[in-house]
Amino acid sequence: MAIWVKLPDYSRLVLLSLFLGLLLEARAGKIRYSVPEETDEGFFVGNIAKDLGLQPQELGERGVRIVSRGRTQLFALNPRSSGSLVTAGRIDREELCAQIEQCLVSFNILVEDKMKLFPVEVEIIDINDNTPQFQLEELEFKMNELTTPGTRIPLPFGQDLDVGINSLQSYQLSSNPHFSLDVQQGADGSQHPEMVLQSPLDREEEAVHHLLLTASDGGNPVHSGTLRIRVQVVDANDNPPAFTQSEYHTSVPENVPLGTRLLTVKATDPDEGANGEVTYSFHNIDQKVAQIFQLDSYTGEISNKEPLDFEEYKTYPMEIQAQDGAGLMSRTKVLIKVLDRNDNAPEVTITSVTTTVPENFPPETIIALINVHDQDSGDNGHTTCSIPGNLPFKLEKLDDNYYRLVTERTLDRELTSRYDITVTATDQGTPTLSTEMHISLQVTDINDNPPAFTQDSYSTFIPENNPRGASIFSVTAHDTDSDENARVTYSLVEDTIQGAPLSSYVSINADTGVLYALRSFDYEQFQDLQLRVTARDSGDPSLSSNVSLSIFLLDQNDNTPQILYPALPSDGSTGMELAPRSAEPGYLVTKVVAVDRDSGQNAWLSYRLLKASEPGLFAVGLHTGEVRTARALLDRDAFKQSLVVAVQDHGQPPLSATVSLTVAVADSIPDLLADLDNLEPSADPDDSSLTLYLVVAVAAVSCVFLAFVIMLLALRLRRWHTSRLLQASGGRLAGVPASHFMGADGVRAFLQTYSHEVSLTADSRKSHLIFPQPNYGDTLISQESCEKKDFLSAPQSLLEDKKETFSQQAPPNTDWRFSQAQRPGTSGSQNGDETGTWPNNQFDTEMLQAMILASASEAADGSSTLGGGAGTMGLSARYGPQFTLQHVPDYRQNVYIPGSNATLTNAAGKRDGKAPAGGNGNKKKSGKKEKK
């Protein structure tokens, strides 16, 4: 049954206290149980869960356990059996408490989650499991036959390890006519048996008496032990040994070396001989004491043969017996007191400890429960417990040498995340001994710090017209917490800019804090952006902080100047300014007014005169834009003056705009109207489209000319290719000399040069186009001449000779004439003039021209036999064999082709350096070619 021992005037105070660190609450008295010794393991002691006010399942959940100091665990908690306290093994009361009447085992019950201790005491109830015993099995006495009746002889004590009723209760002596038993009661309640001589002894009648001493306990059943006593009757011995002191006392330190002489007892006997020889022995001594001390039976010296331990025995009582040779005895008491020495350092036991604690735990939070014990006594056993003073912790002393380590103030992980606490227990002995115990405490983070920006506010400058998606700025916030509590994400506080959400202008990377422009900013729309950036951690609950960000736009020169005056009329006409002819130099005609949407240097405007129909007549102010006369107006100055004024800013690069001004020079409005009436309107309504027609005509002629040149090039390439093939396969014609005459097919180009001059006026609707007469190539040149010079690159001298050719045509050469028989004609006809002039018949003339040209072409190609033998010119077939070239001079000199002013030149004569015959023929220089 559990017994609650209430502490006086304490339970009410504890009931009102909610302080977590108190060890004992209102019900916190000592819980007492009782259990008999020698029970089996698992024997039920008490319902500890019920007595603690807990449910059985809560014992494991709340970390309820037993804490004890320096001994084997005797009890255990069995949460499976309704939270009961049971024995952990066999319990021997005599081993635990020896002869102590009330054997109590103390320990504590710790509730781990609340760091609370509940003291428990279990009384071990004695059972009669020990029999009374004597130290000796047989005791022998020698008594003189002259011993007087009434003499008392002390007998050895019987020992029973049990206590109470189970301890030794009575002695009995076997029946004998000479001896009786008398039991004396000691001051401590112990019984001292003495044997009393009832009648005189007679050695001659009975030399030895045998007695039996019986010691019995009061248990049930009764246990007893016996001692055999043998009394030998001897002759008379007058003097027993006598000790010098009735009691011997000594004090020795517990750390005395082994074999040290601790005490010497001395007994004297005045008898002589064997009757005066004294021997010493232990009498009525504890068995354990007999194992520690050694007695010299002849000298009476007492020494230690085992180490003395103050913590085990503080005093060693013993009885020494001196006996002479005749058997007379005397006894004395010896008390050896052990002096404590500071030979035991304090023992520090961490009963319960918390290795991690959140930083937001309040002050007085229990970190550890510590027990300090010193086996020494007195000052040597008085201990103090301490920790370093620079830590936010303190130690509070509890009952039974328990201390609790509590927080002194709220911890801050950001300042210190780990504490290594050294607990030092020191005794008060000389010299002092101490023990250290180390406790490592980790402070866990809670989200108690919001992110902090590196600046109170941010500002940046960016140029306008920035590219979309470009990074414009970055912000950084740091959180002094750890792990997830320190992971910062960024966002923008929602706002509107000119009616549009802020998120359409700027975005921010949630992880890095980099801001990006989502559109190109225009300085002319707004000059700055005011944002608020939020940094939020990932704790629970999350914390955040804001910072303002000002983005200022820098103006770029992206706007051209805008001219406000003069403004262009909406009907498309040009405004007109009036300047009197009598205006003096510097007269203000008008003022150009312009603005620039940019700012600063980009909006500084300058004016200059870009173009004027009458240079030097007007001037424009560089910074004012005022148009003034630069000189006096003259009568010869045109009525209508056109000016172009340029307005330019000072940006990089500069931008400009132009405006056209029309200044009418007139003294008054009526003069202006009169001058306007004198302007002739255009009589031809078709003049407006003349320019278009001229452009179309020029384009058409150019296309035709280009097609003609391409065709000539194609023909030349074809002839060149054919000639290469003939040269490769015409070996049989290698000996035939090629004719130096070039027929009509050998003409490489009939060039015709067109010269166009287009004149377009700017002030009127009239334009004119000049078509000069084309120049034609009027000379047929030979193959050799064509090979030497390109006809497209004729020298200037040839062109000059051509002028002579066109101005005066050479008459027919009269040096060569045909006879009547040799004159060419159709089928050998003899028609024509006898004088050998050119046939007047048109048909014959054309026939002759055709033959000549065909023959010249064949001779040039070198691929024809010319219709007969060499030099026949192909005419013998038609005009007879007598008609050969050898009879005919070079008739190509001045052959006139009707419809053309060209003549056939004598290429052979040029090659030979001869001029053609003829009275009025043009004489050409050797090797000179004529070409347009």
Side-chain angles (χ1 to χ4, degrees):
M1 178 180 180
I3 303 173
W4 291 89
V5 179
K6 302 293 184 177
L7 299 180
D9 299 328
Y10 185 72
S11 58
R12 292 182 178 273
L13 178 62
V14 178
L15 283 174
L16 298 176
S17 175
L18 297 177
F19 193 46
L20 182 61
L22 289 179
L23 180 65
L24 302 177
E25 292 184 349
R27 300 178 59 191
K30 285 187 177 181
I31 305 175
R32 287 186 176 178
Y33 299 103
S34 62
V35 59
E37 63 171 334
E38 302 295 339
T39 56
D40 295 333
E41 180 181 357
F43 183 81
F44 177 80
V45 178
N47 192 339
I48 192 67
K50 178 180 179 182
D51 295 333
L52 293 177
L54 301 176
Q55 296 297 325
Q57 62 272 15
E58 291 183 321
L59 296 182
E61 296 174 358
R62 302 182 64 176
V64 178
R65 59 188 176 92
I66 296 175
V67 292
S68 59
R69 180 183 71 243
R71 61 165 62 99
T72 305
Q73 192 77 286
L74 300 177
F75 301 96
L77 293 176
N78 187 1
R80 292 177 296 179
S81 58
S82 303
S84 59
L85 180 68
V86 297
T87 58
R90 188 184 67 86
I91 300 176
D92 188 358
R93 193 203 69 83
E94 290 74 28
E95 182 180 354
L96 292 176
C97 304
Q99 298 299 311
I100 300 176
E101 184 70 22
Q102 188 178 25
C103 183
L104 298 176
V105 177
S106 300
F107 56 90
N108 294 287
I109 298 294
L110 173 66
V111 180
E112 186 79 28
D113 62 341
K114 296 298 183 179
M115 285 289 183
K116 296 180 181 178
L117 281 175
F118 296 90
V120 177
E121 287 184 350
V122 179
E123 181 180 3
I124 309 301
I125 301 176
D126 182 51
I127 63 173
N128 192 21
D129 58 341
N130 292 282
T131 301
Q133 295 179 354
F134 293 93
Q135 188 176 1
L136 301 174
E137 293 182 1
E138 183 178 1
L139 180 64
E140 182 178 351
F141 293 104
K142 291 181 180 181
M143 295 187 67
N144 195 293
E145 60 180 344
L146 298 178
T147 304
T148 60
T151 302
R152 293 178 175 269
I153 302 173
L155 297 177
F157 300 155
Q159 293 182 352
D160 193 336
L161 298 179
D162 295 328
V163 295
I165 193 62
N166 296 323
S167 64
L168 194 150
Q169 298 293 324
S170 62
Y171 292 94
Q172 291 179 357
L173 185 63
S174 60
S175 176
N176 188 287
H178 298 283
F179 299 96
S180 65
L181 180 65
D182 185 18
V183 179
Q184 300 292 328
Q185 194 74 24
D188 57 354
S190 60
Q191 297 180 3
H192 302 283
E194 294 179 351
M195 188 173 61
V196 181
L197 181 61
Q198 297 290 336
S199 61
L201 296 176
D202 187 359
R203 177 180 177 277
E204 290 72 23
E205 182 180 352
E206 190 174 1
V208 177
H209 298 272
H210 295 277
L211 302 173
L212 183 65
L213 180 62
T214 303
S216 301
D217 60 22
N220 185 18
V222 176
H223 295 286
S224 62
T226 60
L227 173 64
R228 294 190 301 273
I229 301 174
R230 181 175 180 270
V231 180
Q232 184 177 0
V233 180
V234 297
D235 287 337
N237 184 10
D238 299 337
N239 299 295
F243 285 95
T244 58
Q245 297 179 18
S246 60
E247 288 186 2
Y248 290 86
H249 297 272
T250 186
S251 296
V252 295
E254 61 176 332
N255 57 352
V256 65
L258 297 181
T260 302
R261 187 179 64 181
L262 306 179
L263 181 65
T264 301
V265 294
K266 184 66 175 175
T268 60
D269 193 331
D271 294 329
E272 295 179 355
N275 294 330
E277 295 179 359
V278 179
T279 59
Y280 304 93
S281 63
F282 287 117
H283 181 72
N284 286 336
I285 187 173
D286 188 88
Q287 186 176 358
K288 290 184 179 180
V289 175
Q291 295 175 356
I292 296 174
F293 298 97
Q294 182 178 3
L295 176 62
D296 192 329
S297 60
Y298 296 103
T299 62
E301 293 180 356
I302 301 174
S303 60
N304 63 321
K305 58 182 180 180
E306 295 291 339
L308 303 181
D309 190 0
F310 174 84
E311 288 71 37
E312 185 176 359
Y313 288 98
K314 297 177 176 57
T315 59
Y316 292 93
M318 63 189 71
E319 190 173 357
I320 305 298
Q321 174 179 283
Q323 184 176 2
D324 59 15
L328 295 180
M329 299 174 294
S330 63
R331 298 177 180 85
T332 187
K333 292 183 178 180
V334 176
L335 183 63
I336 299 176
K337 183 177 181 181
V338 180
L339 300 179
D340 184 35
R341 287 292 180 263
N342 193 22
D343 58 344
N344 293 285
E347 299 175 0
V348 180
T349 304
I350 305 296
T351 303
S352 179
V353 65
T354 300
T355 57
T356 59
V357 59
E359 61 177 328
N360 64 338
F361 262 29
E364 303 297 330
T365 298
I366 301 177
I367 303 299
L369 198 61
I370 304 169
N371 177 256
V372 179
H373 175 69
D374 196 323
Q375 295 182 8
D376 296 325
S377 63
D379 292 339
N380 297 331
H382 292 167
T383 59
T384 58
C385 196
S386 63
I387 60 174
N390 58 347
L391 297 178
F393 305 98
K394 64 180 180 179
L395 284 172
E396 294 181 351
K397 193 175 187 310
L398 305 176
D399 295 336
D400 200 15
N401 289 329
Y402 274 94
Y403 294 84
R404 62 179 181 183
L405 178 66
V406 298
T407 57
E408 193 172 23
R409 61 177 183 268
T410 303
L411 305 180
D412 190 352
R413 189 206 65 85
E414 287 68 38
L415 295 178
T416 306
S417 60
R418 178 186 177 93
Y419 292 95
D420 290 321
I421 308 169
T422 301
V423 180
T424 303
T426 307
D427 60 23
Q428 299 178 6
T430 303
T432 60
L433 299 178
S434 62
T435 302
E436 292 184 350
M437 180 67 68
H438 300 280
I439 299 175
S440 180
L441 180 64
Q442 188 75 30
V443 181
T444 58
D445 183 53
I446 64 167
N447 194 24
D448 58 342
N449 292 284
F453 288 93
T454 56
Q455 299 180 18
D456 295 335
S457 62
Y458 295 89
S459 62
T460 184
F461 296 85
I462 62 172
E464 65 171 333
N465 303 322
N466 55 288
R468 296 178 60 185
S471 171
I472 57 176
F473 195 66
S474 65
V475 296
T476 303
H478 299 283
D479 197 318
T480 55
D481 295 324
S482 64
D483 300 331
E484 286 297 316
N485 296 331
R487 190 168 66 86
V488 179
T489 57
Y490 302 89
S491 61
L492 294 176
V493 178
E494 286 298 332
D495 199 358
T496 57
I497 299 176
Q498 296 184 352
L502 176 63
S503 57
S504 64
Y505 287 87
V506 180
S507 68
I508 188 171
N509 189 306
D511 297 324
T512 62
V514 178
L515 283 90
Y516 298 92
L518 299 182
R519 63 172 64 181
S520 182
F521 298 146
D522 190 356
Y523 178 84
E524 286 69 39
Q525 291 185 359
F526 50 84
Q527 287 74 41
D528 61 90
L529 289 175
Q530 301 296 328
L531 315 176
R532 291 193 66 82
V533 180
T534 299
R536 186 180 302 276
D537 59 28
S538 301
D540 185 19
S542 61
L543 302 178
S544 63
S545 59
N546 297 333
V547 69
S548 61
L549 170 61
S550 300
I551 300 177
F552 298 99
L553 300 183
L554 299 178
D555 183 45
Q556 300 292 305
N557 193 26
D558 58 342
N559 292 282
T560 59
Q562 295 182 358
I563 299 176
L564 302 180
Y565 183 83
L568 295 178
S570 59
D571 57 358
S573 61
T574 303
M576 184 174 294
E577 303 292 340
L578 181 64
R581 289 190 177 274
S582 60
E584 296 295 331
Y587 176 78
L588 178 61
V589 178
T590 186
K591 182 177 182 179
V592 178
V593 180
V595 294
D596 196 317
R597 294 180 60 192
D598 295 323
S599 63
Q601 185 176 348
N602 298 328
W604 296 353
L605 301 180
S606 60
Y607 304 84
R608 62 187 178 90
L609 184 61
L610 186 64
K611 184 179 179 182
S613 59
E614 188 71 30
L617 181 57
F618 296 97
V620 178
L622 179 63
H623 301 294
T624 62
E626 295 177 349
V627 179
R628 297 180 181 271
T629 57
R631 60 174 175 81
L633 296 175
L634 304 177
D635 293 338
R636 59 181 175 83
D637 293 332
F639 158 73
K640 181 180 178 183
Q641 298 289 334
S642 296
L643 306 178
V644 178
V645 178
V647 183
Q648 180 175 296
D649 57 26
H650 286 70
Q652 291 296 331
L655 301 178
S656 61
T658 59
V659 62
S660 297
L661 300 176
T662 301
V663 179
V665 180
D667 290 331
S668 62
I669 298 299
D671 295 342
L672 174 62
L673 296 177
D675 292 337
L676 291 176
D677 293 339
N678 293 333
L679 295 177
E680 292 183 2
S682 176
D684 189 1
D686 296 332
D687 288 345
S688 60
S689 59
L690 178 60
T691 301
L692 177 62
Y693 296 152
L694 291 178
V695 172
V696 173
V698 170
V701 172
S702 299
C703 292
V704 172
F705 175 72
L706 181 61
F708 182 67
V709 171
I710 293 173
M711 182 180 67
L712 287 180
L713 291 176
L715 290 175
R716 181 164 183 173
L717 289 175
R718 180 176 177 276
R719 281 196 170 278
W720 175 79
H721 181 66
T722 304
S723 65
R724 296 288 292 177
L725 294 177
L726 291 176
Q727 288 176 5
S729 61
R732 63 187 181 84
L733 298 178
V736 180
S739 175
H740 298 286
F741 303 108
M742 179 68 68
D745 292 338
V747 177
R748 293 295 181 262
F750 289 92
L751 300 179
Q752 193 174 32
T753 302
Y754 296 90
S755 176
H756 309 281
E757 179 180 353
V758 181
S759 298
L760 303 177
T761 62
D763 293 338
S764 67
R765 299 168 57 191
K766 295 182 178 181
S767 301
H768 64 275
L769 179 65
I770 300 175
F771 290 92
Q773 291 297 325
N775 296 327
Y776 298 91
D778 54 358
T779 303
L780 300 176
I781 57 180
S782 66
Q783 175 73 18
E784 180 182 0
S785 302
C786 293
E787 292 175 355
K788 292 181 180 179
K789 296 284 186 173
D790 191 293
F791 64 91
L792 294 178
S793 60
Q796 185 66 26
S797 60
L798 181 59
L799 297 179
E800 294 175 357
D801 293 342
K802 287 298 297 177
K803 294 179 181 180
E804 296 177 2
T805 304
F806 290 134
S807 62
Q808 183 179 358
Q809 180 177 345
N813 191 353
T814 59
D815 291 342
W816 60 277
R817 297 179 181 273
F818 297 119
S819 64
Q820 185 65 30
Q822 294 175 338
R823 293 177 180 174
T826 58
S827 301
S829 64
Q830 302 297 323
N831 298 334
D833 194 358
E834 289 290 334
T835 61
T837 61
W838 194 265
N840 293 326
N841 186 281
Q842 180 179 1
F843 179 77
D844 291 339
T845 301
E846 293 176 355
M847 288 290 291
L848 180 59
Q849 293 174 356
M851 287 187 296
I852 292 172
L853 294 176
S855 298
S857 176
E858 293 175 359
D861 294 339
S863 60
S864 175
T865 59
L866 298 177
T872 61
M873 199 178 172
L875 301 178
S876 59
R878 184 174 181 86
Y879 294 100
Q882 70 280 7
F883 191 84
T884 60
L885 291 176
Q886 60 190 4
H887 301 109
V888 183
D890 189 357
Y891 54 83
R892 292 174 298 172
Q893 176 183 0
N894 286 325
V895 175
Y896 173 74
I897 299 176
S900 172
N901 57 355
T903 60
L904 295 177
T905 61
N906 186 1
K910 292 179 182 179
R911 184 176 63 252
D912 297 338
K914 299 178 181 181
N920 298 328
N922 290 335
K923 298 180 179 181
K924 303 296 179 179
K925 297 180 181 180
S926 176
K928 191 172 184 180
K929 297 177 289 183
E930 295 178 1
K931 179 188 286 187
K932 178 181 178 298

